[in-house]
Amino acid sequence: MTASAAAGLRTGRIVVVGASLAGLRAAEALRDEGFTGELTLIGAEPHAPYDRPPLSKAVLSGRLSCDHIALPRVRNIDARWLLGTPATGLDVPGRRVELADGRSVAYDRLLIATGTRARPWPVQAGGRLGGVHVLRTREDAERLRGALVAGPSRVLVIGAGFTGGEVASSCRELGLSVTVTQRGAAPLASALGGVIGRAAADWYREAGVDLRPHTTVRTLEGHPSGRLRRAVLSDGTTVDAQVAVVATGALANTEWLAGSELAADHRGVVSDAGCRALTADGRPVEDVFVAGDVARWPHPRYPGQLLRLDHWDNAVAQARTAAHNLTHGPGEQLVHRPLPAFWSQQFGRYLKSIGVPALADQVVVTQGSLDRRQFVAAYGLQGRLVGAVAVDSPRVLDGYAALIEAGAPFPPVLGATDGPDHLDPVDAAFPGRAAGSTPDHALGARSASAPAPTAHR
């Protein structure tokens, strides 16, 4: 690439659609990479970028208000902000983004970072009743916080994934009675498998949660006033509740890409390993990139899979990779390869994960013990270490990360002083998967059991 061509990649017009964590960090990284051209951020929400993880933890429990969750700005990005203005269409040949207010924004290069939204409860099953909530935005959190402060006699949480567990934990902190329904055998089983899920079930019950495994909600019923009255469950029982929180996963915000010929659906936008968007037939789209929760891409450490990771760390790292590739030529492109990592706090426990446990066919406790509620579990796929999860032991995961990066065998040889005498791997027991088989679908680490789908956090 000539010097003038390289310089041209640092000028012109870059548009970022999505003004949350990935969009903001990408914009900052673009300036760090030397981009001096016109930078525009388009956001569907009217707010400046804010941090979402506190919504299900600190905000619901009352430790923080939504006025204190704005994302810090690490530098001046000198950008034009179009907030509260959803994108409604993309003209790839014409290089234009169509907006809900009738305007269009021209670009030379584009980054898609539109993230996900909470899967709604079906309208025909009571989704419009007063007292039925989802949790994704600050408005969602404010409404739900108000409903919890009002002191309902019982809260129903539909889904025992990470969001469901965090909501249930916050409700118990507030002294509220909680029932949690879960399609599978245990909480967190979709992300961490049945072995760790059964340990998590003990946390729920020790905290006083009424956990209903192998149970779905058939319908939500209301009073004549239109307020939620009760839920009818799949086992024929009912639960009286004044508040229901639907935590059944997330849908990628991709509807605005209909007709663009990009490979995009409710699971996300497919990209190559360098964050470049692909068409439905697998061709890279010139000057269109993807980052954050909306992206589905092949990680070099996990061949044969398209990963979609609703992770804070991944959104930041992928934004930086995309920003670099937006401002550099073909010979200088980076592959997005950081190991996925995420964390959760629920029922007084701190859980952290590295790698992709959901790919595994086997799991083994390598340090601590499930009975002591403080442990590390390693996950293996066909004899190779692919992930690890630590409960109240987060500092040890750096060593596991190095082993995963090195393609270490499973079970790992650690020599840990707090480990068992013998490592005896067992089936990871992921729901819907036969023992020893591997998944053939894209992964979202915050997956949760869902109602019979209509149209996953």
Side-chain angles (χ1 to χ4, degrees):
M1 173 176 288
T2 66
S4 60
L9 289 173
R10 293 172 177 82
T11 60
R13 300 166 298 183
I14 293 182
V15 171
V16 179
V17 184
S20 191
L21 176 64
L24 174 62
R25 295 297 179 244
E28 292 168 340
L30 285 167
R31 295 304 190 199
D32 288 341
E33 293 285 354
F35 178 69
T36 60
E38 180 182 304
L39 181 57
T40 301
L41 280 82
I42 298 169
E45 295 186 58
H47 314 289
Y50 59 90
D51 210 12
R52 296 186 193 274
L55 296 179
S56 57
K57 308 175 185 74
V59 172
L60 287 192
S61 65
R63 294 193 299 272
L64 279 179
S65 74
C66 285
D67 293 331
H68 293 87
I69 59 172
L71 286 169
R73 308 289 180 90
V74 299
R75 63 163 298 157
N76 177 21
I77 60 174
D78 187 24
R80 176 172 63 140
W81 293 82
L82 300 178
L83 298 178
T85 312
T88 57
L90 175 61
D91 177 1
V92 172
R95 298 185 182 231
R96 303 191 73 84
V97 176
E98 306 299 330
L99 304 182
D101 61 9
R103 290 181 294 171
S104 65
V105 180
Y107 66 85
D108 297 306
R109 277 152 288 156
L110 175 71
L111 177 63
I112 297 170
T114 44
T116 62
R117 65 187 184 280
R119 185 193 296 270
W121 189 253
V123 171
Q124 65 273 23
R128 288 183 178 166
L129 290 171
V132 178
H133 297 261
V134 295
L135 183 58
R136 176 64 181 174
T137 69
R138 56 179 289 174
E139 286 87 359
D140 293 337
E142 288 168 340
R143 283 190 292 266
L144 180 53
R145 168 67 182 168
L148 299 181
V149 168
S153 61
R154 180 164 297 275
V155 178
L156 171 67
V157 179
I158 305 173
F162 288 99
T163 300
E166 290 165 5
V167 170
S169 178
S170 294
C171 288
R172 291 304 297 143
E173 282 188 49
L174 294 170
L176 299 172
S177 298
V178 185
T179 294
V180 178
T181 61
Q182 168 70 4
R183 178 184 293 273
L188 304 178
S190 295
L192 303 181
V195 174
I196 306 307
R198 286 189 289 275
D202 291 338
W203 311 343
Y204 276 66
R205 295 185 174 112
E206 289 168 2
V209 174
D210 172 25
L211 177 64
R212 308 284 187 98
H214 297 300
T215 304
T216 59
V217 175
R218 287 181 179 170
T219 190
L220 299 175
E221 297 181 345
H223 293 282
S225 64
R227 301 288 304 175
L228 174 67
R229 178 168 67 99
R230 67 179 185 178
V232 180
L233 308 185
S234 57
D235 60 5
T237 62
T238 61
V239 173
D240 291 337
Q242 293 73 51
V243 174
V245 184
V246 182
T248 55
L251 302 171
N253 293 319
T254 57
E255 289 80 2
W256 68 284
L257 297 171
S260 68
E261 299 188 2
L262 297 187
D265 57 23
H266 67 279
R267 297 170 296 177
V269 182
V270 179
S271 76
D272 63 17
C275 305
R276 190 182 299 272
L278 302 180
T279 63
D281 59 3
R283 292 179 291 107
V285 180
E286 185 178 359
D287 296 328
V288 178
F289 291 77
V290 194
D293 296 356
V294 75
R296 297 175 67 213
W297 88 103
H299 193 292
R301 179 53 55 195
Y302 303 98
Q305 301 291 331
L306 286 176
L307 303 186
R308 184 177 71 76
L309 303 172
D310 294 4
H311 297 167
W312 196 97
D313 287 353
N314 180 70
V316 172
Q318 200 165 35
R320 292 172 180 156
T321 302
H324 176 92
N325 292 345
L326 277 157
T327 54
H328 289 75
E332 301 174 292
Q333 297 286 290
L334 297 178
V335 169
H336 182 57
R337 62 174 65 249
L339 277 181
F342 68 92
W343 62 275
S344 178
Q345 283 181 304
Q346 44 188 281
F347 307 111
R349 291 174 175 82
Y350 183 92
L351 181 151
K352 188 172 181 180
S353 170
I354 192 77
V356 187
L359 287 176
D361 52 22
Q362 289 188 307
V363 64
V364 64
V365 174
T366 52
Q367 295 179 246
S369 72
L370 298 179
D371 291 339
R372 293 204 304 267
R373 310 291 197 263
Q374 185 174 12
F375 60 86
V376 181
Y379 290 77
L381 173 63
Q382 299 176 355
R384 181 169 63 88
L385 183 68
V386 295
V389 170
V391 173
D392 287 341
S393 305
R395 296 178 181 175
V396 305
L397 284 188
D398 287 349
Y400 288 85
L403 291 172
I404 296 169
E405 291 278 18
F410 176 87
V413 179
L414 300 172
T417 58
D418 60 344
D421 294 335
H422 302 283
L423 294 181
D424 298 313
V426 298
D427 185 82
F430 283 97
R433 196 190 311 171
S437 67
T438 57
D440 59 358
H441 53 79
L443 301 168
R446 283 185 175 267
S447 60
S449 62
T454 47
H456 173 78
R457 172 183 133 155

